[in-house]
Structures are given as C-alpha cells and as structure tokens.
Amino acid sequence: MPAQYRRHVLLALFLTLSAGLGCALLVERNGWAAPSSLSSPAGAAHMVDAFEAVSGPQPGFRRNHAKGLCVSGRFDSNGQGVALANTGLLRTGSYPVTGRFSVVGGNPSVNDTQGGMRSLALDISNGGETWRMALNSSPVFFVRTPEALLEQLQASVPADGREARIRHFRRDHPESQAFEDWMAAHRPSTGFDNAAYFSVNAFRFNSADGQEHLVRWRLQPETPYAPLSDEQIAQNDPDMLSYGLASRLAEGPLRWHLILTPALPGDPVNDATQLWTQPGHQEIDAGVLVIDAQQPQMDGPCRDIDFNPLILPPGITPSDDPLLQARGAAYAESHRRRVREMAGQ
C-alpha cells in the first residue's frame, strides 16, 4: 500500500465517527470535557461543535460525510424478512427509496482517493412507515462507546502534538484493532457501486409471534468487488466516485441484496467494534435495493433528509448499543443547523 494512501487511511480511522458516527462531544479552549449526557440535546450541540473543530466550519453541509450525492430507486422486498420483524417494509412489495452515497469527513471538497471508507444512507417508505439507514463499508466501528469517541476526537483535532495524541489513543483503546485489521485487509472498492454496506450496530427485530431477534444487516452488491489499485490512487482523481457511479448508471440500474443476520447466543450485540465470528449464522435475503438515478446533493431529493438511523418502522427498535442513542441526537442537531444555515444563505 503506498505510504501516502496509508496515511489517508489512518487519518480516516480517526475522522470516521459512522455507521453513523454520532456522539456528543465537547471541545473547550483549555481542555476537553464530556457533557452530562452524550445523547442529550445539549450534548449533541457540543458534538457538532467538535466536528467543526476537526474539519473547520462548512455552513450548509453535513458535519460528517459532507461530500456526497443523491440517488433514488426502490426496495423490492420478497417477504422473507417478516420472519424476523413484523414491519410492512419487509412484506412483499416495492417501496420507493431516496438515498445518499458519501465519503467520510467534514470537508465537502475532499479528494475521493483520500478516504478508505464509502457510506450509504437510505430512506425507505411505504407512505405510512419509514426506515432510515446509515451504513458504512466496514462491518465494525472503531470504538465502542461515546466516551471513547470523545477521546478520539481529542486526538484528531489539528494542532501541535496530534500524532502523539493519536498514538496514545490507540494504545489506550485496543478495541480499535479489529477495525484497523479490517481496513488493512480490505482496500476500498473502485466505486460506490461495488461496495458492501453494513449496519455496524445491532437492532431489535420483533416478529408477529412475539419473538425478539437482535440483527445486523448488510447490503451486498451484485456488482463484483474490485479493490482500488495503486495506479488509481496515484491518479488522485478528486471526483472518481461520482463520475464512476454516473457511468455505471448509464449502463443500467444497480442492485444490492439486503442480508439480515440474526445474532447467535454469545454474540457481542452491544459492541460495534466486534465482528460476529461464530459459525452457523443464519442469513436471510430480504429483497433487493435497486438504484436507478443519481442527482447532485445541492438540490437533489436527499438534501433535506436527516438520515437518522433511529427513525425505524414498527417491528424494529434500537438495541442497547451505547452508540445508538448518541447517534440519533447528533443527527438531529446537525440537521437543525444545516436547515438554519441554508435558510440564511
């Protein structure tokens, strides 16, 4: 792996705050302190301030995943998912989708070759129910708790001594090793179209017969994965991903299968830093996401959507993963600020 690209990937480890990446963090001029509740409105406001401390203010843009593009299509459910969750969006049918592909970080002008992650956010609706997802191209997250994210952001703020702070953070948080190992073994895909996207966190699925299942899911592309080459990295194309997606869509719609994976006894359901490695997991193919159009994010249909992963349909609720409630509060605060800034512009 080229040294320059390796540096970009390591930086992404600290700037990817994802599957959504929401927690409340406080930046103070003379130090760092956690608000009393990292999922409270006040804590979420401090978190958004902290994102701006890392990437600089970008009025009107999302505080993370600032660079992206809108897409639209449908979710064709085959009905098999209702065995796990009694929700209308998993019953047999076709449901409209608005989505957004993006790269990590708060800079809307970031070069597409500089990040190791791709992300996909979705809004699936049947007119009465809505399911929003915030998915990353890594199946695990870098830290387990909002408090650890606070330390991560402290290490990442551009200032003297940042490299030493990052080394200390990694030493103090060995749970981050699984993410680093996965990133080292999986080069980013050549495009948005041939990446798999993961929920990272587990969610509770409640079936019609009263059974509860803790579930992670992924969107598995029909387009075969291809890793980014050294030559592509060296070309340093700033908009490689958006141009590539437009070219692929010109050939026809793109498809991903929604794969639901219920936990087995003993799986770490409240720890997003750990893979589920036990043998014998059931995987349910619940249907196909079809993306057939791309739009610019500045005036496209995804612009005003808050892709809060806690906006869930009946039959699906959050797990006890400590990251989830903090994510929801942060998404709401970031959306509120963007709306205000766009109105001012």
Side-chain angles (χ1 to χ4, degrees):
M1 180 180 294
Q4 180 185 19
Y5 179 69
R6 178 64 176 167
R7 288 195 296 272
H8 292 320
V9 170
L10 289 175
L11 181 60
L13 301 182
F14 297 96
L15 295 184
T16 303
L17 301 178
S18 229
L21 307 161
C23 97
L25 306 170
L26 175 61
V27 182
E28 294 181 342
R29 185 176 182 85
N30 297 318
W32 294 71
S36 58
S37 172
L38 296 179
S39 59
S40 69
H46 292 309
M47 179 276 292
V48 176
D49 291 342
F51 274 114
E52 294 177 356
V54 173
S55 297
Q58 304 287 345
F61 288 92
R62 298 169 198 264
R63 268 44 184 192
N64 196 14
H65 303 276
K67 184 178 183 180
L69 54 91
C70 298
V71 290
S72 55
R74 66 185 189 275
F75 173 59
D76 292 334
S77 175
N78 59 25
Q80 295 186 48
V82 296
L84 296 178
N86 184 28
T87 174
L89 292 172
L90 288 175
R91 298 185 186 122
T92 302
S94 184
Y95 309 109
V97 167
T98 300
R100 184 175 184 269
F101 285 109
S102 64
V103 294
V104 299
N107 179 4
S109 301
V110 66
N111 191 306
D112 282 355
T113 63
Q114 292 185 4
M117 300 279 290
R118 287 87 173 88
S119 298
L120 172 59
L122 296 175
D123 177 295
I124 308 173
S125 176
N126 63 5
E129 299 178 355
T130 299
W131 188 359
R132 292 186 181 167
M133 305 179 186
L135 312 171
N136 282 335
S137 60
S138 166
V140 289
F141 194 49
F142 192 62
V143 292
R144 186 177 64 84
T145 67
E147 291 77 14
L149 280 176
L150 174 65
E151 297 177 46
Q152 184 189 46
L153 191 64
Q154 178 183 15
S156 302
V157 169
D160 291 344
R162 180 171 68 172
E163 291 187 6
R165 293 195 303 272
I166 289 174
R167 287 196 302 270
H168 293 156
F169 175 86
R170 295 171 69 185
R171 179 200 63 199
D172 294 341
H173 291 276
E175 74 274 15
S176 67
Q177 191 62 47
F179 179 83
E180 293 193 41
D181 289 346
W182 196 92
M183 291 287 288
H186 297 81
R187 276 203 172 192
S189 61
T190 55
F192 286 131
D193 61 298
N194 61 353
Y197 298 94
F198 301 86
S199 69
V200 183
N201 306 104
F203 291 77
R204 286 190 175 89
F205 281 44
N206 300 284
S207 61
D209 61 3
Q211 298 295 310
E212 180 181 280
H213 310 268
L214 284 157
V215 175
R216 290 177 178 175
W217 65 84
R218 74 180 186 274
L219 286 166
Q220 186 68 34
E222 290 190 356
T223 305
Y225 161 78
L228 206 61
S229 68
D230 291 348
E231 291 76 16
Q232 288 170 311
I233 295 169
Q235 287 173 3
N236 209 31
D237 185 345
D239 296 306
M240 171 191 70
L241 296 173
S242 58
Y243 292 154
L245 185 65
S247 298
R248 289 287 289 112
L249 286 172
E251 300 171 1
L254 300 170
R255 295 159 57 93
W256 288 258
H257 289 257
L258 176 61
I259 307 298
L260 308 176
T261 304
L264 293 173
D267 281 337
V269 295
N270 297 329
D271 186 347
T273 68
Q274 296 191 49
L275 293 167
W276 292 354
T277 58
Q278 296 186 77
H281 281 98
Q282 178 189 21
E283 291 194 335
I284 296 176
D285 186 336
V288 177
L289 169 69
V290 181
I291 297 298
D292 55 21
Q294 171 181 341
Q295 306 89 17
Q297 71 170 353
M298 293 304 294
D299 55 1
C302 73
R303 185 192 67 178
D304 298 330
I305 296 179
D306 169 16
F307 289 103
N308 188 329
L310 298 190
I311 297 177
L312 299 164
I316 303 176
T317 58
S319 69
D320 295 330
D321 188 318
L323 291 173
L324 278 175
Q325 293 301 324
R327 286 180 68 186
Y331 271 73
E333 172 63 16
S334 177
H335 183 258
R336 184 188 68 79
R337 292 195 187 189
R338 284 200 304 116
V339 169
R340 183 187 64 202
E341 290 161 357
M342 287 188 292
Q345 293 172 356

